[in-house]
């Protein structure tokens, strides 16, 4: 049995890029809120403390 599919399947192909951008924006907001609440202070996740990315010429 196939799992239920939502979202992209019902959209016209021209809307796929827009929907993807909306999802990335939502994940960015929720990730920021999670870091500000659950991971604030005593967080042990190494990915919250990555060194800055070196600038490319």
């Amino acid at each position: 049995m196939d799992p239920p599919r939502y979202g992209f399947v019902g959209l016209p192909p021209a809307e796929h890029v827009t929907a993807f951008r909306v999802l990335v924006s939502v994940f960015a907001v929720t990730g920021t809120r999670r870091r500000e609440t659950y991971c604030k202070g005593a967080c042990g996740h190494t990915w919250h403390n990555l060194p800055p990315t070196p600038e490319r010429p």
Side-chain angles (χ1 to χ4, degrees):
M1 189 159 97
D2 286 337
R5 298 169 202 245
Y6 305 102
F8 281 90
V9 174
L11 291 174
E15 293 295 323
H16 288 182
V17 172
T18 302
F20 179 76
R21 288 179 179 158
V22 168
L23 286 174
V24 169
S25 297
V26 169
F27 291 145
V29 169
T30 58
T32 300
R33 288 183 183 172
R34 181 179 34 81
R35 283 190 303 278
E36 290 173 351
T37 56
Y38 298 112
C39 295
K40 191 171 189 172
C43 180
H45 296 126
T46 56
W47 57 82
H48 293 306
N49 300 309
L50 295 174
T53 305
E55 293 196 25
R56 295 181 182 180

